[in-house]
Amino acid sequence: YENANALANKPTVSIITKSLTLNYADFGKIANGTLTLMRPSNASEDRIFIIKQQVDSVQQFELSDLNSGLYKLRLEWTEGAKQYRIDKTIVI
């Protein structure tokens, strides 16, 4: 948590019409990362997406197979020797 909170440029998440957009200017610096969506009311709807190292600052993930409702989002990634994590509650 502390590492992510200390970042001057943090990843942002937006959801528009069953599509999740992750915006982060430093995707080129990550070694590996995952975006996990957890549905508290139904674990069978949990999803894990791989975050790719890339030059572009936007990655999109299709959520059309998920039911609408409350999800817990966990974004975890590694940059250099540091690990980062952001947790949010979202509604799809």
Side-chain angles (χ1 to χ4, degrees):
Y1 288 126
E2 298 82 28
N3 288 337
N5 287 336
L7 287 173
N9 181 20
K10 296 177 182 65
T12 60
V13 174
S14 58
I15 297 171
I16 300 171
T17 318
K18 296 267 189 161
S19 178
L20 186 145
T21 301
L22 182 59
N23 197 318
Y24 184 47
D26 292 330
F27 278 135
K29 296 179 181 178
I30 67 171
N32 58 55
T34 58
L35 173 74
T36 306
L37 292 177
M38 297 166 278
R39 180 86 188 255
S41 64
N42 186 352
S44 69
E45 293 188 50
D46 291 0
R47 296 289 183 276
I48 298 175
F49 301 96
I50 302 300
I51 306 299
K52 298 177 183 82
Q53 183 180 47
Q54 65 183 37
V55 176
D56 191 8
S57 64
V58 176
Q59 293 189 36
Q60 288 191 302
F61 305 96
E62 183 60 42
L63 306 178
S64 60
D65 64 327
L66 296 178
N67 289 317
S68 297
L70 181 79
Y71 288 81
K72 293 187 180 198
L73 178 147
R74 176 167 288 163
L75 179 60
E76 296 177 290
W77 74 100
T78 304
E79 276 183 44
K82 289 187 178 179
Q83 293 186 338
Y84 298 87
R85 185 173 111 192
I86 295 175
D87 291 323
K88 296 179 86 158
T89 300
I90 61 171
V91 176
I92 295 174

